[in-house]
Amino acid sequence: KSTKTVRRTFANATSCGERSPDMPIQEKEHSTRLLPHSPQSTAMASQSQQPPSPPPPPEPTSISSLTDDLLREIFLRLPDLPTLVRAAITCRPFLCLVRSSRAFRRRFRELHASPILALFLTPYMRAVIPSASGSPDPDTTAAFADLLGDDDATEWGTDSQIPYSDGYVAFVNRSTDQTASYSPLNIGAPAQAQALDIYPKPPREGVDAWLEFYTLPPDQEGQRPSRVVCVRHDSSWACARVAVFSSHAMKCQIFPESRGLLLERDRCTIRKLVHGFVCWLQSENCILALNTVTFQFSRMYLPPPLRGPYTYLSFELGQTKDGKLCIVHLQEFTLSVWLWTPDDDGVERFMLHKMFQLHTIVKEITKRSVLDNVDAGEHMNVTDGFVYLSVVHGRGMQSSQWFLSFCLETAEVKLLFEKTCRIRCLVDPYIMAWPPSLMHDKGDSETEVAGDTVGDDGPVGTEEVSPVLFTALQSFKEALIDDDNAKLVEMDAFLVDDEISSLLNKISTLEAGLAAGRDCVLRRAHSNIYVEGVERRSWWEMCKGMLGRVSSHFFAN
């Protein structure tokens, strides 16, 4: 019993914090910490159970916090080239971001078809503006309304009978009746390429020839300067001479005359400038091609399925994304692609590359299960690996017409716009080229950038008629005269300084009108990413919202 009393007393003493004289200090302190009702243990337990303090809040992230590589990845996901232009000219860093990377521009071109800004109808170059809503903006249409307007004070005017055909505007000198034609669009050609034909003044006795000029822009890698190629040939193409003007050397190089270019009874019908070649399509079976690297003529024979009269109406010359010459043929909803490439024996010829069946695509576009009264392939054009074509349903005035882009690499189809009535005359697409202001990293940009923003009134990379063409005409005349009186007489029949200067001024006016119309399309009507009726919003507000949506989608994925 006494032992139990001692133990009870010890327990009561220790519970009240009293120390037993016989207990070592360290052991008693250890026992005190272990007791559940000790004040010290309660405090220590409460400290150990407290959650850790939260980390400091992160710094707010803005679009300016993103690296250049991330911004370019976001820009690659923009829907089209006009939207990229709007984003790039929002502020100086965005503009430099696009300019400084050739790889980015090349990748963007591979992912996005160049948009159609307008369709020009023969013979008066009346513009049809694509619109997602089907109702073009009247101000945008008016911007292209007077492209061929004549000023009585100018020496040159447009042809009164057929002022526009096959992408060329016909000019007539009111004093001398000399004629010239100029292609501001150069359908399917590389960006910033123009073509000019000059015919001799009547009477043309002793001068059975005309001059064709083609401007070749610098390549994307900056390894080749701007050049102008002049081809002088007679009406029968029995002989031809080539001269090349380089913007670096600032002089013309004359190549030897070539003879016997055409086959017997062949005539050139269609011509086209594509990457690496100036092509003249001869009747039935052959293409005459001028290589723009070696400046040698050669014949390219069409593949057997494409030979025969009028077969050229069903195919188009163009180029792939990597710049290879190709032929795209469309017949009965089957699209075939032929590449100019070496065969197994190393001989270059057109070889079948791909075939696509468009039946399902056309049914989805037209929303019709049976393709009766449906035609495909009208107004076809091939540019940088994309085929632009139209699909028509119906024969009457209430026909429906869809304009599409088709990627030859991915077979992706995009509906560009739709019209409720059929365009019955020939049309030429005005395909937007890559603006020079986004290509050249130069201080005196054609796009005005003030501070960190771009004003709404500035042009979007306006490119007028190439200045190198002005210089090339005079240099070509001086190079061909060369103390040869016969050539002097011939050149005077083509190139009189005052008359040529007046013609180039007329061309510059046409180019300025096209640039103004293009800028109006870019700012108002083309992209359906913006809400209609918010024309007064600044570009920064529009691009900020658009970039925010794209970047959110980018990071979410």
Side-chain angles (χ1 to χ4, degrees), residues 305-526:
L306 303 185
R307 297 178 185 176
Y310 306 111
T311 55
Y312 63 88
L313 298 176
S314 62
F315 68 79
E316 275 289 326
L317 288 170
Q319 66 278 335
T320 61
K321 288 183 178 180
D322 53 2
K324 292 183 178 179
L325 178 66
C326 69
I327 293 178
V328 175
H329 178 237
L330 182 60
Q331 186 176 19
E332 297 181 354
F333 304 105
T334 299
L335 189 147
S336 57
V337 183
W338 304 76
L339 292 183
W340 181 253
T341 187
D343 58 12
D344 295 337
D345 297 328
V347 179
E348 286 190 319
R349 62 187 182 92
F350 283 109
M351 300 184 64
L352 184 62
H353 177 57
K354 290 181 179 180
M355 296 185 71
F356 303 93
Q357 298 298 326
L358 303 185
H359 295 79
T360 303
I361 295 172
V362 174
K363 288 180 180 179
E364 292 176 354
I365 292 294
T366 60
K367 296 181 174 59
R368 287 169 174 83
S369 58
V370 180
L371 297 182
D372 293 337
N373 295 327
V374 175
D375 296 325
E378 291 192 13
H379 316 313
M380 189 165 60
N381 179 269
V382 184
T383 302
D384 292 333
F386 289 91
V387 181
Y388 301 87
L389 71 156
S390 67
V391 176
V392 180
H393 175 264
R395 305 289 182 183
M397 294 301 296
Q398 295 303 317
S399 302
S400 296
Q401 188 165 13
W402 298 263
F403 285 83
L404 317 173
S405 69
F406 180 85
C407 180
L408 294 177
E409 181 177 346
T410 65
E412 181 183 7
V413 179
K414 290 185 178 180
L415 176 62
L416 301 177
F417 66 99
E418 178 184 355
K419 286 192 67 66
T420 55
C421 62
R422 184 175 181 179
I423 299 176
R424 297 186 174 275
C425 57
L426 297 177
V427 301
D428 296 311
Y430 182 16
I431 300 174
M432 181 180 177
W434 196 279
S437 57
L438 299 189
M439 292 173 54
H440 305 298
D441 191 8
K442 57 185 179 181
D444 53 345
S445 170
E446 297 162 349
T447 302
E448 182 64 26
V449 182
D452 292 330
T453 61
V454 182
D456 284 353
D457 296 330
V460 184
T462 302
E463 60 262 23
E464 296 181 358
V465 59
S466 175
V468 72
L469 181 59
F470 288 68
T471 310
L473 289 174
Q474 183 61 34
S475 177
F476 178 75
K477 178 179 177 180
E478 294 174 353
L480 286 188
I481 290 175
D482 217 13
D483 295 331
D484 189 329
N485 291 330
K487 292 179 181 176
L488 177 60
V489 173
E490 179 178 314
M491 288 303 101
D492 281 342
F494 285 106
L495 304 170
V496 177
D497 294 342
D498 292 340
E499 296 171 352
I500 294 302
S501 178
S502 176
L503 174 61
L504 293 179
N505 289 337
K506 186 69 176 178
I507 292 174
S508 295
T509 302
L510 172 63
E511 287 284 354
L514 284 171
R518 179 205 55 209
D519 292 345
C520 188
V521 172
L522 292 181
R523 290 173 181 166
R524 289 180 178 267
H526 188 76

Side-chain angles (χ1 to χ4, degrees), residues 192-267:
Q192 309 171 68
Q194 294 100 13
L196 172 66
D197 297 343
I198 300 179
Y199 303 93
K201 293 189 289 289
R204 301 177 181 177
E205 295 155 358
V207 181
D208 180 26
W210 63 78
L211 307 178
E212 298 180 10
F213 293 89
Y214 301 92
T215 61
L216 306 180
D219 60 0
Q220 295 295 328
E221 303 302 324
Q223 298 177 353
R224 189 175 293 121
S226 299
R227 295 165 300 160
V228 177
V229 177
C230 176
V231 181
R232 175 208 172 275
H233 61 85
D234 58 7
S235 58
S236 63
W237 275 89
C239 61
R241 170 173 290 174
V242 176
V244 182
F245 176 83
S246 170
S247 61
H248 280 187
M250 296 301 290
K251 63 180 181 180
C252 274
Q253 179 183 0
I254 309 296
F255 288 84
E257 191 172 67
S258 300
R259 291 186 172 274
L261 298 176
L262 295 189
L263 301 178
E264 186 178 0
R265 294 184 302 276
D266 277 341
R267 302 285 295 178

